[in-house]
Amino acid sequence: MPYRAGRHFLQIPGPTNVPGRVLRAMSRPTIDHRGPEFQALGHEVLQGLREVFNTTHPVVIFPASGSGAWEAALVNCLSPGDRVLMSDSGQFATLWKQMAVGLGLEVDWIPGDWHHGVDPEAVSARLADDRAHAIKAVCVVHNETSTGIVSRIPELRQAIDQAGHPALFMVDSISSLGSIDYRHDEWSVDVTIGASQKGLMLPPGLSFNAISDKARAAHRQASIPRSFWDWTAMLAANEQGLFPYTPSTNLLYGLQEALAMLREEGLSNVFARHQRHAEATREAVRAWGLEMVAASPDDYSASITAVVLPKGHDADDLRRLLLDRFDLSLGVGLGRLAGTVFRIGHLGDLNDLSVLGTLAGVEMGLTLAGIPHNGHGVEAAMRALVAPVG
Ligand SMILES: Cc1ncc(COP(=O)(O)O)c(C=O)c1O
């Protein structure tokens, strides 16, 4: 591909733009991962991650994409044939379910329409029916990257408690961590799954499990075969700031820098920034007269907006046009939303003008593709962005 002047607009819902500070941090020479300099780095990032997950409990780091941390959560806590309760909230929930089935688990699957978050009442009802406590874990995707819909974790926690059920609570925070408020301890989550390439502003390649005491106790009984993902070996090495195998040293340099940046901005400011950008994006979509996948404001994600095109128009044609004409990448429609939906990622390292540039690209693309819309989306977003915060 010949050189294209100007910045590429990577507005897919992850991987997100990696800031220069993180890229420069990662360019430092790799060091001995068993030496004292590494140990200091290990201690610092393992401790720093706890702040992002809002936990005082251990967070482990795998040199893997998010799917690795999904698998680690399941194999460390469960035994073959165990039942898990999952909900059809979108494509990532579906993929996690497929993984659970592949690992020999029995999945109780709550149906969903992909337009709403996970229903706490449905979870509570399924758990109340399970008098023998055969269900060993409730697994939920906090922010469905395929639909731009957020599920309300505190209400789901309450639903589990109301049913008086002892199942573990596992939450995928892959596209919410570092962009939407998340509280592992306060919400009594047992295993939180995270990954590097979204709100943490890093390249793909690191993923995380935050682990409660209850999950550690379950881990001691769990018998799905595991080796690479084993928490025991990982937690023992982490005590010394080390890893049981070769870690992704340079990604950890990046993580150290990203954690410093999140701390400098302040997590509450990071969350507020994401909310402002999400609302500005939604204002643009409303002004265009297009539909969002999220059915109601309660479901809106602060990190992703999934937009439905009018019937007869192909979202992938629009995406191709935007890449060719404006060097703008938007997220593809996934699973049952393929071809009818495009996704705008507004998470990670971005400011007001990056959001407006993205929306300007989309608006011009809609016009060029002959997709009926009302125009004025960028104007509506600008109005939202200059409105007093309050
Ligand atoms: C919510 C969610 N869960 C899981 C995954 C899978 O992660 P990965 O593709 O990094 O393996 C993704 C990827 O985008 C995701 O958004």
Side-chain angles (χ1 to χ4, degrees), residues 62-244:
F62 295 105
S65 82
S67 304
W70 264 351
E71 179 158 339
L74 298 175
V75 301
N76 275 290
C77 295
L78 299 166
S79 300
D82 275 355
R83 276 170 65 192
V84 295
L85 182 61
M86 295 176 141
S87 296
D88 186 14
S89 59
Q91 178 66 4
F92 289 100
T94 304
L95 293 173
W96 200 10
K97 172 201 169 197
Q98 285 167 6
M99 175 184 277
V101 170
L103 290 168
L105 297 166
E106 298 281 328
V107 178
D108 274 20
W109 188 233
I110 299 176
D113 64 2
W114 290 29
H115 293 286
H116 298 89
V118 177
D119 178 6
E121 280 180 24
V123 168
S124 186
R126 289 284 184 116
L127 293 177
D129 280 350
D130 176 36
R131 295 209 180 80
H133 295 167
I135 294 172
K136 299 300 176 200
V138 176
C139 303
V140 171
V141 176
H142 180 208
N143 188 62
E144 242 305 341
T145 319
S146 60
T147 59
I149 290 175
V150 78
S151 285
R152 294 183 294 282
I153 302 302
E155 287 178 35
L156 289 161
R157 173 74 256 171
Q158 258 184 351
I160 300 171
D161 294 344
Q162 262 163 18
H165 200 288
L168 294 167
F169 191 23
M170 298 189 180
V171 179
D172 170 341
S173 74
I174 287 179
S175 61
S176 54
L177 192 74
S179 47
I180 299 174
D181 192 11
Y182 188 83
R183 304 173 186 208
H184 177 84
D185 285 2
E186 191 181 317
W187 298 342
S188 296
V189 178
D190 293 300
V191 187
T192 300
I193 293 105
S196 53
Q197 74 269 24
K198 310 218 184 221
L200 291 186
M201 308 173 287
L202 292 161
L206 295 179
S207 58
F208 317 108
N209 283 167
I211 307 168
S212 74
D213 288 341
K214 187 170 156 187
R216 280 181 87 165
H219 168 64
R220 287 190 275 275
Q221 310 299 324
S223 63
I224 296 183
R226 56 179 187 254
S227 170
F228 181 80
W229 308 113
D230 188 53
W231 287 345
T232 298
M234 184 63 93
L235 288 164
N238 285 178
E239 293 273 317
Q240 315 301 318
L242 298 172
F243 286 70

Side-chain angles (χ1 to χ4, degrees), residues 371-390:
I371 296 169
H373 68 289
N374 302 330
H376 307 298
V378 176
E379 226 174 284
M382 287 195 293
R383 265 198 309 276
L385 289 172
V386 295
V389 182

